Amino acid sequence: MSTITEAVLTKLDKVVLTYVEDGYFERENEAHSWFLEIWGDEKKFQLIGFSEYLDNFIVDAIEHWNSGKVEVLSSGPFLEQSASNPELPLEAEAISIGTSLILTITNLGESYQQKLDLLQAARHNLLSNEQLEIEVSKRTATIRQREAEISGRLIYAAGFRDEETGSHINRIGLYSAAMGRALGWSQFAVEDICTAAPMHDLGKIGIPDNILKKPGKLTDEEFEVMKTHPKIGAEILGDSEIEMIQVASEIAASHHENWDGSGYPAGLKGETIPIAARIVAIVDVYDALVHARVYKPAMPEEEALEIMASLVGNKFDPELFQLFLDNIQEMRDIRTNILD
Amino acid sequence: MLQKKICLLGAFSVGKTSLIQRFVSSLFDDKYLTTVGVKIDKKIVTVDQQEIMLMIWDLAGEDDYNTLNKNHLRGAAGYILVIDGTRPKSLDVGLAVHDKVKEALGDVPVVVALNKADLIDEWILDADQLAKLEEKLPVLRTSAKTGDNVELLFSELAARLQ
């Protein structure tokens, strides 16, 4: 080896070894002190058995040499314990040059520390980002919780006048959320409809008691008054900048609109009816039919679904109704979990 | 003496190196020092009156800058999957690492360390995900800081090694 090559290898803190046979290697240049501390000063020596990490890498190196690949295979950095350094940063490389099978071992020295410092800074950044994400999601959860509480209190207030059960109202939110999930909505949108849907009948708070609580059938005139509850609900919930309240307002305004345009209050038709309202229209009828009320017994689900199927195209959005049927088991689970 | 290779795996900054330091040297440093590359420590444990030399491979954590080198797993008899209870992302990374290791090593013994138990009031792991994990794998709540369950963690794994 030329003096220049020797000097370069010394400068690079690198030791070059050539594979001889049977696990024996021959050192091609002067050994550095760190090398001698681990592998000794024999020129030809058995490499295996001194470094657990290198023993593992030799398996990859032999495979690499046998493959005839020309590129360099690096072991990546590893820390070895020598007599003078408990954490000596080394890196090995396997190279084939002609028929020579070469293994180099380099003391990474300062460059290891530099890499460590860089990665330390980068990982600190990653950690800060992660903590920021956690903080944002905690705050979002708090906002969601507040929204749900406000909506719950509104519904509670309305409950003093409307006789709908709390369980029915909760189920409407959960059925609607299930539909949102089935439609592939974002988690935010699903949470919005889950909180907003129970407020669909909030406008009933503005209907006089003699109509709202009338035990018998409403007269045409009384029914006209009753039909104003979507508008009242939309007014109570209108002009909000909060997305969930906007969804609630849409639902309150349009949950009595029909797919064919025969509904009220605006006579909206097809997809001009907001999708959240089309969903609530379906799940509200389902829940009302399959549960008992003071004025009627619970209907068997099969019969309820038959009635609902007959309303598809007139009252209900056909695609949404099919999606509802596709997810009927989830709806049943909600019913089982939230009993009247 | 029987020698067994085990690996500590998981996301970055979950406390893999700290757990090893606590187990091998009874030391703990609160400052986070990242690991670059691989460091191997040794410690003898006794299982059923038989001494086993554990060769403990501390592998750099998974993140945007480092992915698991499957060659480092060669010959591992088992591994400890470390998850930081205060970081939900470390659970996702841990589960992904677990899948990778299963693919590379097959069904070798594993024990999960839910680390940083000293900060349990700040834990924010998803309860369902945690319950599912506990159904599938042996899980111990550990703290490299206080030493809680650290000896048990390594001896549990050692007891499961073939």
Side-chain angles (χ1 to χ4, degrees), chain A residues 134-202:
Chain A
I134 290 169
E135 196 51 41
V136 168
S137 61
K138 268 188 197 166
R139 289 185 186 205
T140 309
T142 308
I143 293 169
R144 289 275 164 193
Q145 203 178 350
R146 285 180 190 162
E147 287 179 353
E149 185 178 337
I150 291 165
S151 126
R153 285 174 188 271
L154 270 175
I155 294 162
Y156 182 71
F160 281 98
R161 307 218 46 248
D162 189 11
E163 285 174 356
E164 277 303 354
T165 66
S167 313
H168 165 75
I169 286 162
N170 286 336
R171 286 192 298 263
I172 296 301
L174 294 171
Y175 296 138
S176 302
M179 288 291 281
R181 270 192 299 275
L183 283 162
W185 288 3
S186 69
Q187 197 193 330
F188 277 136
V190 169
E191 286 172 7
D192 276 342
I193 198 169
C194 187
T195 312
M199 291 190 271
H200 63 286
D201 269 340
L202 195 67

Side-chain angles (χ1 to χ4, degrees), chain A residues 31-50:
Chain A
H32 306 269
S33 55
W34 54 265
F35 185 91
L36 297 175
E37 284 175 15
I38 300 172
W39 286 282
D41 63 353
E42 293 291 324
K43 204 158 164 38
K44 186 179 169 188
F45 65 103
Q46 182 62 261
L47 188 75
I48 303 291
F50 295 91

Side-chain angles (χ1 to χ4, degrees), chain A residues 75-142:
Chain A
S75 71
F78 60 102
L79 296 169
E80 205 53 67
Q81 192 169 1
S82 72
S84 59
N85 188 347
E87 292 195 346
L88 178 69
L90 300 176
E91 185 164 30
E93 289 175 318
I95 319 158
S96 305
I97 298 175
T99 53
S100 299
L101 309 176
I102 310 289
L103 185 81
T104 68
I105 304 175
T106 308
N107 178 1
L108 298 173
E110 271 303 298
S111 70
Y112 178 81
Q113 191 55 47
Q114 283 160 6
K115 194 174 180 184
L116 199 66
D117 291 345
L118 263 177
L119 268 173
Q120 178 87 10
R123 284 176 176 154
H124 262 301
N125 270 344
L126 287 178
L127 267 184
S128 303
N129 288 345
E130 242 183 85
Q131 276 155 5
L132 209 61
E133 277 173 32
I134 290 169
E135 196 51 41
V136 168
S137 61
K138 268 188 197 166
R139 289 185 186 205
T140 309
T142 308

Side-chain angles (χ1 to χ4, degrees), chain A residues 52-53 56 59-60 75 77-79 86-87 112 115-116 119-120 122-124 126-127 130 133-134 138, chain B residues 12-13 32-40 55 57 61 63-66 71-72 74 86-87 89 124:
Chain A
E52 178 84 6
Y53 184 83
N56 184 67
V59 178
D60 301 321
S75 71
F78 60 102
L79 296 169
E87 292 195 346
Y112 178 81
K115 194 174 180 184
L116 199 66
L119 268 173
Q120 178 87 10
R123 284 176 176 154
H124 262 301
L126 287 178
L127 267 184
E130 242 183 85
E133 277 173 32
I134 290 169
K138 268 188 197 166
Chain B
F12 76 99
S13 188
Y32 167 53
L33 287 174
T34 194
T35 305
V36 174
V38 179
K39 184 168 184 283
I40 303 164
M55 309 298 292
W57 284 52
D63 60 24
D64 295 358
Y65 309 103
N66 185 58
N71 291 347
H72 289 157
R74 183 184 300 117
T86 67
R87 289 167 53 212
K89 213 170 180 176
I124 43 175

